[in-house]
Amino acid sequence: MEQNVQEPKQRVLSLIQPTSVPTLGNYLGALKNWKKMARDYDCIFGVADLHALTIRVEPSMLRKQTQEMLALLLALDLDAEKNIVFVQSHVHTHSELSWLLNCYTQFGEASRMTQFKDKSRKHADNVTVGLFDYPVLMAADILIYQSNYVPVGVDQKQHLELARNIAERFNGIYGQTFTVPEPFIGTKGAKVMSLQDPTAKMSKSDPNPKASVSVLDSPDVIVKKFKSAVTDSEACVRYAEGKDGINNLMTIYSCCTGLDYAQIESDFAGKGYGDFKMAVAEAVIEELRPLQENYNHVIADKACISDCAKKGAEKALYVTQKTLRKVQKKVGLWQG
């Protein structure tokens, strides 16, 4: 009698830097979908603290933000028992593979990374080799887990292409070693724009504090930010070209309530923007409430966070050592 053999799940890697608290845009565009992704795939979620070192950071702040970001990942209820949730610097194999991959990365292709050029201009007083080289570390992050998919935004597509190029080059020289990763196309997340400039994407690095909503903002702060959101002079809640501010608010409201644009337009027919802004704020508050409650519970137990970090690192190390040893052997390193 034949037995049904369950196909292994495809592996997805997602890393997030601990430089600041994610925005509502990060949440609706990606983080909200991670829980479903964790059910459907073999997922690895990490806090990319080594990447945060490419610019000068206050050590105590980095440690604090790393703990907080790990707590936030745990608060998303990603099921750390079934999936790997870890801190990048706790898994030494990432850095070891990164050096080996440096030796299979062409200087020309690394120098074409547009993020290096952009960040070099922004931090002209601190242009380090690490800033230049971090796409190779990112490639190591991806390849060491034999990741099938990586969720990437527009600004990271070039880095995924570099990882693919390195994997294909290494495989071409030594035979099949790395899984060549593909961009992850899952549940499409919303594209949330700035509340002060709705033609620009909501960003946690925006210098205007009114432009973005943090996932940990208090209800009072959320209400104030939406009350000051840029709209237009028509005073009609409808989705249309040229109404960027209202379109953005309708997108946010739709994501939080599940209502489509036609229903939203009907519900707010004859009502002013003040009423609509308040409704959007209340919907966002309710959307973020479970996450904030989970986060407050997790962050209060520092011992539990440390324990989760330790267990996550152990699981990550177990998975990655196999790949690292294979690469070391193929390039000729004596393993004793």
Side-chain angles (χ1 to χ4, degrees), residues 104 168-177 327 329-332:
Y104 294 86
E168 289 170 347
R169 180 177 299 125
F170 196 95
N171 290 349
I173 298 170
Y174 297 106
Q176 184 60 39
T177 307
V327 173
K329 183 178 179 181
K330 290 200 172 189
V331 302

Side-chain angles (χ1 to χ4, degrees), residues 21-33 72 75-76 192 195 202 212-223 225-226 252 255-257 279-297:
V21 178
T23 67
L24 177 67
N26 300 136
Y27 177 76
L28 295 178
L31 300 181
K32 183 179 180 180
N33 298 323
L72 190 60
L76 288 169
V192 178
L195 297 183
M202 183 179 286
S212 64
V213 173
S214 159
V215 295
L216 298 180
D217 276 346
S218 69
D220 287 346
V221 169
I222 291 173
V223 168
K225 288 182 177 180
F226 277 102
I252 294 169
C255 285
C256 294
T257 63
V280 178
E282 290 173 349
V284 168
I285 290 167
E286 288 308 309
E287 175 70 32
L288 295 178
R289 189 185 303 280
L291 173 63
Q292 293 185 355
E293 289 176 350
N294 285 346
Y295 175 80
N296 290 334
H297 175 73

Side-chain angles (χ1 to χ4, degrees), residues 101-310:
L101 297 187
N102 273 329
C103 301
Y104 294 86
T105 304
Q106 300 300 309
F107 183 84
E109 63 186 347
S111 64
R112 286 193 290 274
M113 297 294 105
T114 55
Q115 274 212 14
F116 170 72
K117 297 173 184 176
D118 293 342
K119 290 188 176 182
S120 295
R121 285 192 289 268
K122 291 178 182 177
H123 306 280
D125 60 334
N126 187 39
V127 182
T128 66
V129 173
L131 181 61
F132 178 80
D133 192 47
Y134 91 94
V136 181
L137 175 58
M138 188 180 294
D141 297 333
I142 297 166
L143 300 180
I144 202 161
Y145 291 97
Q146 304 292 352
S147 308
N148 300 101
Y149 300 107
V150 183
V152 289
V154 174
D155 58 340
Q156 296 292 348
K157 276 187 176 180
Q158 196 181 28
H159 292 161
L160 181 60
E161 280 303 311
L162 179 64
R164 288 172 52 84
N165 291 343
I166 295 170
E168 289 170 347
R169 180 177 299 125
F170 196 95
N171 290 349
I173 298 170
Y174 297 106
Q176 184 60 39
T177 307
F178 295 117
T179 299
V180 180
E182 300 285 346
F184 178 78
I185 310 297
T187 305
K188 188 170 179 61
K191 186 176 182 181
V192 178
M193 312 305 281
S194 163
L195 297 183
Q196 294 300 307
D197 177 9
T199 63
K201 189 176 177 181
M202 183 179 286
S203 171
K204 54 189 178 183
S205 61
D206 196 310
N208 185 344
K210 294 181 179 180
S212 64
V213 173
S214 159
V215 295
L216 298 180
D217 276 346
S218 69
D220 287 346
V221 169
I222 291 173
V223 168
K224 287 178 182 177
K225 288 182 177 180
F226 277 102
K227 280 185 174 179
S228 68
V230 170
T231 51
D232 55 59
S233 59
E234 188 184 23
C236 178
V237 178
R238 65 186 183 91
Y239 198 97
E241 186 176 349
K243 291 174 65 68
D244 297 323
I246 286 297
N247 293 348
N248 187 39
L249 294 180
M250 288 180 71
T251 296
I252 294 169
Y253 191 67
S254 176
C255 285
C256 294
T257 63
L259 299 175
D260 61 25
Y261 294 150
Q263 185 63 55
I264 296 170
E265 289 177 7
S266 174
D267 289 349
F268 287 90
K271 296 181 181 179
Y273 285 166
D275 291 336
F276 183 53
K277 286 182 179 182
M278 193 64 199
V280 178
E282 290 173 349
V284 168
I285 290 167
E286 288 308 309
E287 175 70 32
L288 295 178
R289 189 185 303 280
L291 173 63
Q292 293 185 355
E293 289 176 350
N294 285 346
Y295 175 80
N296 290 334
H297 175 73
V298 173
I299 199 66
D301 192 344
K302 295 296 194 294
C304 180
I305 297 172
S306 295
D307 185 58
C308 289
K310 182 180 178 182

